[in-house]
Amino acid sequence: MSAQIVTPELRDWIVEQARAGCRPEAVLASMCASGWEEGVAAQALEATLSAYLGAGRTIEVLPPPLPVPEPDLRGSPSSVFAHDRHVQVLLTLARPRVVVFGGLLADEECDAIVDCARPLLARSETVDTDTGGSEVNAARTSRGMFFSRGQTPVCARVEARIAALLAWPVEKGEGLQVLHYRPGTEYKPHYDYFDPRQPGTASVLARGGQRVGSLVIYLSSPLRGGGTVFPDAGLCVAPIKGNAVFFSYDRPHPVTHSLHGGAPVEAGEKWVATKWLREGEFH
Ligand code: PD2
Ligand code: ZN
């Protein structure tokens, strides 16, 4: 991937495209279509066009990277201690950044969250970035509800554990969102960040900035199906009660490869609690 070399010929071609009035996004798209990895292509474009313009001017093809939550996995530990519990590290992937944790929640904690959420479920809605409000989404056939931060003692304990695990303050997290999937329901692949090009995004960002990470915690083990899939990586994480999958995205852009979805549940029921981590304090 990073072995792709920016030759003088490629630089000349990029400058030629820019001089012909071609927008950087269009040049990026044709580089990707001819086999360039998007992140490498974007960096090559930014460097070439900035050097061409000179006088300290810079061209940004991608949004600038943001700090992201990240567990401390120095020394490749098989488990880490987070607040009040040992948590297993089952899988790590660099790109997209994904970490699968084992035993993040005890079975009784999963059951307590499900019992509390069950009477409050409604057809799941997603943020509507056209308006900044929320809407029922055909791509998401689960039912769900939101807790506010610290709404129950179990929520507060789990939030403190997540904050320690991911080195990200509790205040920068949204409340837990609980989803319930029956057989045949799914959450089609999507990105969790807010699309900067959508008109409603500004009002969503006012509550704590971009989402920069997600933690999907499995509160039950469906019998078949219901894995969390990452199509760009060909990865499917099995939903096992108490385990969790963490992924981060340092820019609101597909270059993060953070596209993910909930595969259809084929047998049994799937319950998850999702924690979204924001760039700033969420209020
Ligand atoms: O339930 C899941 O596996 C899932 C998949 C994709 C949850 C979410 N996204 C989410 O809550 O954003
Ligand atoms: Zn998602």
Side-chain angles (χ1 to χ4, degrees):
M1 230 185 272
S2 42
Q4 296 182 315
I5 308 291
V6 186
T7 59
E9 290 74 26
L10 177 63
R11 281 203 201 95
D12 290 348
W13 178 80
I14 290 173
V15 169
E16 206 179 292
Q17 301 301 305
R19 286 172 60 103
C22 206
R23 295 185 52 76
E25 301 77 53
V27 182
L28 181 65
S30 35
M31 287 177 75
C32 293
S34 61
W36 280 79
E37 200 277 324
E38 196 171 24
V40 181
Q43 272 170 8
L45 257 179
E46 285 177 358
T48 304
L49 294 177
S50 302
Y52 172 68
L53 288 171
R57 289 172 64 191
T58 54
I59 282 272
E60 273 179 5
V61 178
L62 294 179
L66 302 166
V68 292
E70 174 65 17
D72 182 358
L73 300 181
R74 281 172 299 178
S76 306
S78 56
S79 77
V80 288
F81 187 73
H83 180 63
D84 58 350
R85 193 172 164 86
H86 290 281
V87 178
Q88 295 171 304
V89 182
L90 301 180
L91 175 146
T92 68
L93 188 68
R95 200 172 155 81
R97 182 56 173 156
V98 175
V99 182
V100 179
F101 295 108
L104 176 63
L105 264 63
D107 280 3
E108 306 73 54
E109 291 172 324
C110 295
D111 297 342
I113 294 174
V114 168
D115 288 346
C116 216
R118 192 190 296 272
L120 303 170
L121 295 177
R123 174 78 193 269
S124 295
E125 298 191 340
T126 44
V127 172
D128 176 1
T129 40
D130 280 337
T131 63
S134 59
E135 58 173 2
V136 167
N137 184 340
R140 195 183 199 188
T141 43
S142 55
R143 288 163 60 79
M145 58 80 66
F146 266 100
F147 285 108
S148 54
R149 230 172 28 221
Q151 188 171 331
T152 72
V154 175
C155 286
R157 185 165 76 231
V158 168
E159 283 161 5
R161 195 178 298 154
I162 294 170
L165 181 68
L166 302 177
W168 206 250
V170 167
E171 296 72 29
K172 290 187 175 183
E174 298 182 27
L176 286 169
Q177 184 204 225
V178 176
L179 294 178
H180 178 217
Y181 303 79
R182 291 182 190 284
T185 63
E186 65 181 315
Y187 196 173
K188 295 227 168 82
H190 59 275
Y191 298 96
D192 281 356
Y193 55 72
F194 305 113
D195 186 341
R197 295 165 308 184
Q198 295 295 315
T201 291
S203 69
V204 179
L205 296 185
R207 293 187 71 189
Q210 262 297 352
R211 285 179 177 162
V212 288
S214 308
L215 180 75
V216 177
I217 308 167
Y218 305 109
L219 303 175
S220 72
S221 305
L223 295 171
R224 280 190 293 122
T228 303
V229 296
F230 294 83
D232 292 357
L235 176 69
C236 177
V237 178
I240 295 174
K241 187 173 181 175
N243 290 4
V245 56
F246 164 72
F247 50 100
S248 63
Y249 24 96
D250 65 356
R251 348 176 171 228
H253 193 277
V255 73
T256 56
H257 295 293
S258 61
L259 184 69
H260 66 287
V265 173
E266 292 173 30
E269 292 185 24
K270 176 186 176 190
W271 288 85
V272 300
T274 301
K275 176 64 129 180
W276 284 296
L277 294 321
R278 294 286 192 114
E279 187 186 350
E281 284 192 19
F282 178 75
H283 48 85

